[in-house]
Amino acid sequence: MNHLHLPDQKHSVLSRRSLLRSAAFLAGGALLLPTRLLGASPVAGYFRDYPFKLGVASGDPLSDGFVIWTRLAPYPTEIDYGMDPEPVLVSWEVAEQENMNRVILSGTAIASPAMGHSVHVDLRGLRPGREYFYRFRAGDYESRIGRGITAPVVGSPLDEFRFAFVSCQHYERGYYPAYRDLVEQDPRLVVFLGDYMYENNPNRFNVRRHEGPEPVTLAQYRARYASYKLDAHLQAAHAHTSWAFTWDDHEVDNNYANDQSQDLDDPEVFLRRRAAAYQAYYESMPLRSSARPQGPALHLYQRLSFGNLLDFNILDNRQYRSDHPCDYDGGGPVVDPQLCSELDDPARTMLGETQHRWLANNLRSSRARWNVIAQQTLFAQFNRGRNGQTLYSTDGWGGYPAARDRLVRDIANSGATNPVFIGGDVHANWVTDIKEDWRNPLSRTVATEFVGTSVTSGGGDMAEYDLTLPQNPHIKFIETRERGYNLCTVTANQWRTEHRSCPDDGILDPDTRLTTTRSFVIENGRPGAVLE
């Protein structure tokens, strides 16, 4: 869908004076405004270039609608992104055909400088289980056309659903051929599981480089997101279908935990940085207004349902977690549990009590055939030691074993059918059994886990991982040398996950083709994936 209208004439923006009588609507963001409140006000000022360079996106699909998004940015990576600090009137249209010949919904929104001139329109009143097309206009400029897909009504019969999950797209390490392939495979939903952008200083990778230093201010985070959003394959994937989102650490600071930064900054100082990062995240994603940040807080976890087939419980593992154990602040290092009594403290949490209870209640009440727990990283226990040694990473669930065991018990007792974890973060394809008792390989398997490899971020040494497998019999598969994403096709009787991948060096060429390197299947009522 390459519908771009780039007229030569300049487009003027809405003047501040014409908005004074609507000021109550403008406090803080891009909100829907009735056209009658805006009138036919004269306009003043000009865009300096095409304002829709960051593309369009849709997200958070419900049975009666979804969110559509854009952000005005004529010069996206500059500090002021080419915009004057004035609110701008943006119109939007929704149609049932891609040619947009018959518009069924339309309206206007205000792109406010307080929200980076982003626009979030929460569409409602659409029919369930259907595709719709949308676009934005600002004066004479028109965005590309995007597609969004509504969910089937909760509990209604659904024979099949196809979705992709994706994570870890370090811009500097390579191009995004995974997204071109994703568009060709045509999933109905894309679930993004964290590390949408990376906050590091420009580094040694020479494929392409981040501009500017490690971000700490709102303007710097905006510019970093803009660098990523300018990628053509990523823009096409956003325009192609609806997405759902969670984050991991790099959207703020590597290995941060709640109010603790990697570099042990004063928590008050770090929370100011986190507030800037969270706002830039909201400005950059098609999230509904309930996720709009309040200072350093943003409510991201949510449940999305698709007929009677799938419930997605999308988690936030960063914002509410306890600090890393045993002074291993900054995460990454491993600990010997015999030397870290804090590791098993039941008071330590990964999700926070409120989110944990929300998830447990969702699982108990679910009537879906498949119950997805979408979160950032590897959930299964992974002993990194060799030759009888026991070592656990502190930044993932391995640093929170009591919280993990509590969740396993809740899943086992919930009555939810076919629980399946999906995750990212560790830059490799993993398939694991979630065991009721990690110490006993013969104990009951209560759930299945798929962790997807990265779009570009580098994987670990496969030979090192191979040496750990004898101590982790519940881990069925690891592959670190592939880049790509996972594609899932789900029916009432079977779940199929395809590893859509290319070799690690394939990401050095934006035209690399991906293939299905292998497929795993789960049969309804039989937890544990089997190589197809």
Side-chain angles (χ1 to χ4, degrees), residues 162-206:
R162 187 175 174 90
F163 75 95
F165 65 93
V166 191
S167 65
C168 302
Q169 53 185 28
H170 196 305
Y171 179 85
E172 294 183 304
R173 281 187 174 266
Y175 297 104
Y176 295 161
Y179 285 121
R180 184 187 59 194
D181 184 81
L182 185 151
V183 170
E184 293 171 354
Q185 299 303 316
D186 194 24
R188 305 287 284 181
L189 175 73
V190 177
V191 183
F192 195 90
L193 297 176
D195 293 343
Y196 190 96
M197 70 82 168
Y198 281 68
E199 86 296 1
N200 57 274
N201 282 309
N203 58 33
R204 67 185 184 278
F205 305 111
N206 58 12

Coordinates of all heavy atoms in Angstrom, one line a residue, residues 162-206:
R162 N -4.2 -15.9 12.6 CA -2.8 -15.9 12.2 C -2.2 -14.6 12.7 O -2.7 -13.5 12.4 CB -2.7 -16.0 10.7 CG -1.4 -16.1 10.1 CD -1.6 -16.3 8.6 NE -0.4 -16.3 7.8 CZ 0.3 -17.5 7.5 NH1 -0.1 -18.6 8.0 NH2 1.4 -17.4 6.8
F163 N -1.2 -14.7 13.5 CA -0.5 -13.6 14.1 C 1.0 -13.8 14.1 O 1.5 -14.9 14.0 CB -1.0 -13.2 15.5 CG -0.5 -14.1 16.6 CD1 0.6 -13.8 17.3 CD2 -1.2 -15.3 16.8 CE1 1.0 -14.6 18.3 CE2 -0.7 -16.1 17.9 CZ 0.4 -15.8 18.6
A164 N 1.7 -12.7 14.2 CA 3.2 -12.7 14.3 C 3.6 -12.1 15.6 O 2.9 -11.2 16.1 CB 3.8 -12.0 13.1
F165 N 4.7 -12.5 16.1 CA 5.3 -11.8 17.2 C 6.8 -11.5 16.9 O 7.5 -12.3 16.3 CB 5.1 -12.5 18.6 CG 5.7 -13.8 18.8 CD1 7.0 -13.9 19.4 CD2 5.1 -15.0 18.5 CE1 7.6 -15.2 19.6 CE2 5.6 -16.2 18.8 CZ 6.9 -16.3 19.3
V166 N 7.2 -10.3 17.4 CA 8.4 -9.7 16.9 C 9.1 -9.0 18.1 O 8.4 -8.5 19.1 CB 8.1 -8.6 15.8 CG1 9.4 -8.1 15.2 CG2 7.2 -9.2 14.8
S167 N 10.4 -8.8 18.1 CA 11.1 -8.1 19.2 C 12.5 -7.7 18.7 O 13.0 -8.2 17.7 CB 11.2 -8.9 20.5 OG 12.0 -10.1 20.2
C168 N 13.1 -6.8 19.4 CA 14.5 -6.5 19.4 C 15.1 -6.1 18.0 O 15.7 -6.9 17.3 CB 15.3 -7.7 19.9 SG 14.8 -8.2 21.6
Q169 N 14.8 -4.9 17.6 CA 15.1 -4.4 16.3 C 16.2 -3.3 16.4 O 16.0 -2.2 16.0 CB 13.9 -3.9 15.6 CG 13.0 -2.9 16.3 CD 11.8 -2.6 15.6 OE1 11.2 -3.4 14.9 NE2 11.3 -1.3 15.8
H170 N 17.4 -3.7 16.8 CA 18.5 -2.7 16.9 C 18.8 -2.2 15.5 O 19.3 -2.9 14.7 CB 19.7 -3.4 17.5 CG 20.8 -2.5 18.1 ND1 21.3 -1.5 17.3 CD2 21.3 -2.4 19.3 CE1 22.2 -0.8 18.0 NE2 22.2 -1.3 19.2
Y171 N 18.6 -0.9 15.4 CA 18.7 -0.2 14.1 C 20.1 -0.3 13.6 O 20.3 -0.4 12.3 CB 18.3 1.3 14.3 CG 18.3 2.2 13.1 CD1 17.3 2.2 12.2 CD2 19.4 3.0 12.9 CE1 17.3 3.1 11.1 CE2 19.5 3.9 11.8 CZ 18.4 3.9 11.0 OH 18.5 4.8 9.9
E172 N 21.1 -0.1 14.4 CA 22.5 -0.1 13.9 C 23.0 -1.4 13.5 O 24.0 -1.5 12.7 CB 23.4 0.5 15.1 CG 23.1 1.9 15.4 CD 24.0 2.4 16.5 OE1 24.1 1.8 17.6 OE2 24.7 3.4 16.2
R173 N 22.4 -2.5 13.9 CA 23.0 -3.8 13.6 C 22.6 -4.4 12.3 O 23.2 -5.3 11.8 CB 22.6 -4.8 14.7 CG 23.4 -4.7 16.0 CD 23.0 -5.9 16.9 NE 23.9 -5.9 18.1 CZ 25.0 -6.7 18.2 NH1 25.4 -7.4 17.2 NH2 25.7 -6.7 19.3
G174 N 21.5 -3.8 11.7 CA 21.1 -4.3 10.4 C 19.9 -3.7 9.9 O 19.2 -2.9 10.5
Y175 N 19.5 -4.2 8.7 CA 18.2 -3.7 8.1 C 17.1 -4.6 8.5 O 17.3 -5.6 9.3 CB 18.4 -3.8 6.6 CG 19.4 -2.8 6.1 CD1 20.6 -3.2 5.6 CD2 19.2 -1.4 6.0 CE1 21.6 -2.3 5.2 CE2 20.1 -0.5 5.6 CZ 21.3 -1.0 5.2 OH 22.3 -0.1 4.8
Y176 N 15.9 -4.4 8.0 CA 14.7 -5.0 8.5 C 14.0 -5.9 7.4 O 12.8 -5.7 7.2 CB 13.7 -4.0 9.0 CG 14.1 -3.2 10.3 CD1 13.5 -2.0 10.6 CD2 15.1 -3.6 11.1 CE1 13.8 -1.3 11.7 CE2 15.5 -2.9 12.2 CZ 14.8 -1.7 12.5 OH 15.2 -1.0 13.6
P177 N 14.7 -6.8 6.8 CA 14.0 -7.7 5.8 C 12.9 -8.5 6.5 O 12.0 -8.9 5.8 CB 15.1 -8.5 5.3 CG 16.2 -8.5 6.3 CD 16.1 -7.2 6.9
A178 N 12.9 -8.7 7.8 CA 11.9 -9.4 8.5 C 10.5 -8.8 8.3 O 9.5 -9.5 8.1 CB 12.2 -9.5 10.0
Y179 N 10.5 -7.5 8.2 CA 9.2 -6.8 8.1 C 8.6 -6.9 6.7 O 7.4 -6.9 6.5 CB 9.3 -5.3 8.5 CG 9.3 -5.2 10.0 CD1 10.4 -4.6 10.7 CD2 8.3 -5.7 10.8 CE1 10.5 -4.5 12.1 CE2 8.4 -5.6 12.2 CZ 9.4 -5.0 12.8 OH 9.5 -4.9 14.2
R180 N 9.5 -6.9 5.7 CA 9.0 -7.1 4.3 C 8.4 -8.5 4.2 O 7.3 -8.7 3.7 CB 10.1 -7.0 3.3 CG 9.6 -7.2 1.8 CD 10.7 -7.2 0.8 NE 11.6 -8.3 1.1 CZ 12.8 -8.4 0.6 NH1 13.3 -7.5 -0.2 NH2 13.6 -9.5 0.9
D181 N 9.0 -9.5 4.8 CA 8.5 -10.9 4.8 C 7.2 -10.9 5.6 O 6.2 -11.6 5.2 CB 9.5 -11.9 5.4 CG 9.0 -13.3 5.3 OD1 9.2 -13.9 4.2 OD2 8.5 -13.8 6.3
L182 N 7.1 -10.3 6.7 CA 5.9 -10.3 7.5 C 4.7 -9.8 6.7 O 3.6 -10.3 6.8 CB 6.2 -9.4 8.8 CG 5.1 -9.4 9.8 CD1 5.7 -9.2 11.2 CD2 4.1 -8.3 9.6
V183 N 4.9 -8.7 6.0 CA 3.8 -8.1 5.2 C 3.4 -9.2 4.1 O 2.2 -9.4 3.9 CB 4.2 -6.8 4.5 CG1 3.2 -6.4 3.4 CG2 4.4 -5.7 5.5
E184 N 4.3 -9.9 3.5 CA 4.0 -10.9 2.6 C 3.2 -12.1 3.2 O 2.4 -12.7 2.5 CB 5.3 -11.4 1.9 CG 6.0 -10.4 1.0 CD 7.3 -10.8 0.5 OE1 7.8 -11.9 1.0 OE2 7.9 -10.1 -0.3
Q185 N 3.5 -12.4 4.4 CA 2.8 -13.5 5.1 C 1.4 -13.1 5.6 O 0.6 -14.0 5.9 CB 3.7 -14.0 6.3 CG 5.0 -14.6 5.9 CD 4.9 -15.7 4.9 OE1 4.1 -16.6 5.0 NE2 5.7 -15.6 3.8
D186 N 1.2 -11.8 5.7 CA -0.2 -11.3 6.0 C -0.8 -11.7 7.2 O -1.9 -12.3 7.2 CB -1.1 -11.6 4.8 CG -2.4 -10.8 4.8 OD1 -2.4 -9.7 5.4 OD2 -3.4 -11.2 4.2
P187 N -0.2 -11.6 8.4 CA -0.9 -11.9 9.7 C -2.0 -10.9 10.0 O -1.9 -9.7 9.5 CB 0.3 -11.8 10.7 CG 1.2 -10.8 10.1 CD 1.2 -11.0 8.6
R188 N -2.9 -11.3 10.8 CA -4.0 -10.4 11.2 C -3.6 -9.5 12.3 O -4.2 -8.4 12.5 CB -5.2 -11.2 11.6 CG -5.7 -12.2 10.6 CD -6.4 -11.6 9.4 NE -7.8 -11.1 9.8 CZ -8.6 -10.6 8.9 NH1 -8.2 -10.4 7.6 NH2 -9.8 -10.2 9.2
L189 N -2.6 -9.8 13.0 CA -2.1 -9.1 14.2 C -0.6 -9.2 14.3 O -0.1 -10.3 14.0 CB -2.8 -9.6 15.4 CG -2.3 -8.9 16.8 CD1 -2.9 -7.5 16.9 CD2 -2.8 -9.8 18.0
V190 N 0.1 -8.2 14.7 CA 1.5 -8.2 15.1 C 1.6 -7.9 16.5 O 1.1 -6.8 17.0 CB 2.4 -7.3 14.2 CG1 3.8 -7.3 14.7 CG2 2.2 -7.6 12.7
V191 N 2.3 -8.7 17.3 CA 2.5 -8.5 18.7 C 4.0 -8.1 18.9 O 4.8 -9.0 18.7 CB 2.1 -9.7 19.6 CG1 2.3 -9.4 21.1 CG2 0.7 -10.1 19.3
F192 N 4.2 -6.9 19.3 CA 5.6 -6.5 19.5 C 6.0 -6.6 21.0 O 5.3 -6.1 21.9 CB 5.8 -5.0 19.1 CG 7.3 -4.7 18.9 CD1 7.9 -5.0 17.7 CD2 8.0 -4.3 20.0 CE1 9.3 -4.7 17.6 CE2 9.4 -4.1 19.9 CZ 10.0 -4.3 18.7
L193 N 7.1 -7.3 21.3 CA 7.4 -7.8 22.6 C 8.6 -7.1 23.2 O 9.2 -7.6 24.1 CB 7.6 -9.3 22.7 CG 6.3 -10.1 22.3 CD1 6.6 -11.6 22.2 CD2 5.2 -9.8 23.3
G194 N 8.9 -5.9 22.8 CA 10.0 -5.1 23.5 C 11.2 -4.9 22.7 O 11.6 -5.6 21.7
D195 N 11.9 -3.8 23.1 CA 13.1 -3.3 22.4 C 12.8 -2.8 21.0 O 13.4 -3.2 20.0 CB 14.2 -4.3 22.5 CG 14.7 -4.6 23.9 OD1 14.4 -3.7 24.8 OD2 15.4 -5.6 24.1
Y196 N 11.8 -1.9 21.0 CA 11.4 -1.3 19.7 C 12.6 -0.4 19.2 O 12.8 -0.3 18.0 CB 10.1 -0.5 19.9 CG 9.5 0.0 18.6 CD1 8.5 -0.7 18.0 CD2 10.0 1.2 18.0 CE1 7.9 -0.2 16.8 CE2 9.4 1.7 16.8 CZ 8.4 1.0 16.2 OH 7.8 1.4 15.1
M197 N 13.2 0.3 20.1 CA 14.4 1.1 19.8 C 15.4 0.8 20.9 O 15.1 0.3 21.9 CB 14.1 2.5 19.6 CG 13.7 3.3 20.9 SD 15.2 3.8 21.8 CE 14.4 5.0 23.0
Y198 N 16.7 1.2 20.5 CA 17.8 1.0 21.4 C 18.4 2.4 21.8 O 18.5 3.2 20.9 CB 18.9 0.1 20.8 CG 18.6 -1.3 20.9 CD1 17.5 -1.9 20.2 CD2 19.3 -2.2 21.7 CE1 17.2 -3.2 20.3 CE2 19.0 -3.5 21.8 CZ 17.9 -4.1 21.1 OH 17.6 -5.4 21.2
E199 N 18.7 2.6 23.1 CA 19.0 3.9 23.6 C 20.5 4.2 23.6 O 21.0 5.2 24.1 CB 18.4 4.0 25.0 CG 19.2 3.5 26.1 CD 19.5 2.0 26.2 OE1 19.1 1.3 25.3 OE2 20.2 1.6 27.1
N200 N 21.3 3.2 23.1 CA 22.8 3.4 23.3 C 23.3 4.5 22.4 O 22.7 5.0 21.5 CB 23.5 2.1 22.9 CG 23.1 1.7 21.4 OD1 22.1 1.0 21.2 ND2 24.0 2.1 20.5
N201 N 24.5 5.0 22.8 CA 25.3 5.9 22.0 C 25.6 5.2 20.6 O 25.6 4.0 20.5 CB 26.6 6.3 22.7 CG 26.4 7.3 23.7 OD1 25.8 8.3 23.5 ND2 26.9 7.0 24.9
P202 N 25.9 6.0 19.6 CA 26.3 5.4 18.3 C 27.5 4.5 18.6 O 28.4 4.9 19.4 CB 26.7 6.6 17.5 CG 25.9 7.7 18.0 CD 25.7 7.5 19.5
N203 N 27.5 3.3 18.0 CA 28.6 2.4 18.3 C 29.3 1.8 17.1 O 29.2 2.4 16.0 CB 28.0 1.2 19.2 CG 26.9 0.5 18.5 OD1 26.9 0.4 17.3 ND2 25.9 0.0 19.2
R204 N 30.0 0.7 17.3 CA 30.9 0.2 16.2 C 30.2 -0.4 15.0 O 30.9 -0.6 14.0 CB 31.8 -0.8 16.8 CG 31.1 -2.1 17.2 CD 32.0 -3.1 17.9 NE 31.4 -4.4 18.2 CZ 30.6 -4.6 19.3 NH1 30.4 -3.6 20.1 NH2 30.1 -5.8 19.5
F205 N 28.9 -0.6 15.1 CA 28.2 -1.3 13.9 C 28.2 -0.3 12.8 O 27.8 0.9 13.0 CB 26.9 -1.8 14.4 CG 26.9 -2.7 15.5 CD1 26.4 -2.2 16.8 CD2 27.5 -3.9 15.5 CE1 26.4 -3.1 17.9 CE2 27.5 -4.8 16.6 CZ 27.0 -4.3 17.8
N206 N 28.5 -0.7 11.6 CA 28.7 0.2 10.5 C 27.6 0.0 9.4 O 27.7 0.6 8.3 CB 30.0 0.0 9.8 CG 30.3 -1.4 9.4 OD1 29.4 -2.2 9.3 ND2 31.5 -1.7 9.0

